[in-house]
Amino acid sequence: MYKDDLEKKLQDFILQLERMNLNYYVEYLKNPKKIIWQNFLSGVARGFGTAFSFSILGALLIYFKLCCKIQLASDWKIHC
């Protein structure tokens, strides 16, 4: 009875490992060129995303400043 229970748990564990694609992950970790390339591409994508977002944000800020006469903190004059 104990042996059957142990075999069932072992089979369940093996199925879970197969579902997690552990073999693919281990092969991925064995290939440093693939890791470096994928990290480089993700860094480039993040950089372009950040630049694009700041461009849109800056354009909206300039638009609202010019069209809606919003006073920005840089426009405030401090008199001492």
Side-chain angles (χ1 to χ4, degrees):
M1 186 171 205
Y2 176 73
K3 185 178 179 182
D4 293 337
D5 191 36
L6 184 62
E7 285 181 12
K8 183 177 178 347
K9 286 184 180 181
L10 186 60
Q11 288 297 326
D12 290 342
F13 180 69
I14 291 170
L15 284 174
Q16 286 178 348
L17 286 177
E18 288 177 0
R19 286 185 199 140
M20 290 180 357
N21 290 330
L22 190 64
N23 187 28
Y24 172 75
Y25 183 67
V26 170
E27 291 299 321
Y28 173 74
L29 289 177
K30 287 181 180 178
N31 191 352
K33 288 182 183 178
K34 189 172 184 178
I35 295 172
I36 291 170
W37 180 247
Q38 190 165 5
N39 285 332
F40 173 74
L41 288 179
S42 66
V44 168
R46 284 188 192 118
F48 279 126
T50 303
F52 181 75
S53 299
F54 277 121
S55 298
I56 296 296
L57 185 64
L60 287 174
L61 192 63
I62 291 171
Y63 174 77
F64 284 126
K65 180 177 173 18
L66 294 177
C67 294
C68 302
K69 306 285 189 222
I70 294 177
Q71 190 175 18
L72 298 176
S74 62
D75 296 336
W76 296 345
K77 295 186 169 111
I78 299 175
H79 299 286
C80 295

